[in-house]
């Protein structure tokens, strides 16, 4: 009945508020600062992928893929190419032989350019800079999330 549902919803809301009060010093501020951090994280990934270093690495990989007969700009594009230019999320089933050929060329180009290691090295450097640049915000979010628990 509507009365039971309303009572249940009210009890559930009370429990959620009690949990927030128990776990967080200030849930509203935590949620706000976590949102700021999430925005900065998204900006970080966008800037990282657009950086000169990553673009140069992608260009080197792309040139190798071109030599194998595939015109792609970035390593993420190989997924769509393997799917015959269709989005896998659209439910398109790629021709398995095309998928295998693209995967083999991708793997060979990743090896030839040492793509994985170089990309990871670039990412670690950028991530370290991100953490350093956002240390105060990271520590604030951690304190807002776990500070009350550490005080008990």
């Amino acid at each position: 009945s509507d009365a039971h549902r309303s009572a249940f919803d009210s009890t559930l809301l009370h429990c959620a508020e009690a949990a927030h009060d128990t776990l967080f010093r200030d849930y509203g501020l935590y949620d706000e600062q976590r949102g700021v951090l999430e925005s900065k994280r998204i900006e970080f990934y966008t800037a990282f992928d657009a950086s000169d270093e990553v673009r140069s690495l992608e260009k080197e990989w792309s040139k190798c893929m071109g030599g194998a007969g595939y015109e792609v700009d970035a390593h993420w594009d190989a997924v769509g190419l393997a799917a015959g230019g269709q989005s896998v999320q659209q439910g398109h089933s790629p021709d398995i032989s095309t998928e295998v050929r693209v995967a083999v060329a991708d793997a060979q180009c990743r090896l030839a350019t040492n793509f994985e290691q170089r990309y990871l090295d670039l990412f670690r450097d950028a991530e370290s800079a991100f953490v350093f640049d956002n240390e105060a915000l990271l520590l604030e979010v951690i304190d807002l999330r776990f500070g009350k628990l550490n005080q008990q």
Side-chain angles (χ1 to χ4, degrees), residues 61-62 65-66 68-88 92-103 105-106:
W61 172 87
S62 178
M65 288 292 286
Y70 301 103
E71 297 301 319
V72 288
D73 293 325
H75 70 282
W76 301 112
D77 297 338
V79 174
L81 185 63
Q86 301 289 322
S87 171
V88 175
H92 176 76
S93 297
D95 171 19
I96 193 69
S97 63
T98 300
E99 190 173 8
V100 169
R101 284 193 308 274
V102 171
D106 178 26

Side-chain angles (χ1 to χ4, degrees), residues 15-25 145-150 152:
C15 288
E17 289 172 352
H20 286 161
D21 290 344
T22 300
L23 297 174
F24 300 95
R25 284 190 297 116
R145 172 59 183 92
F146 297 107
K148 195 166 184 179
L149 291 176
N150 291 335
Q152 294 178 356

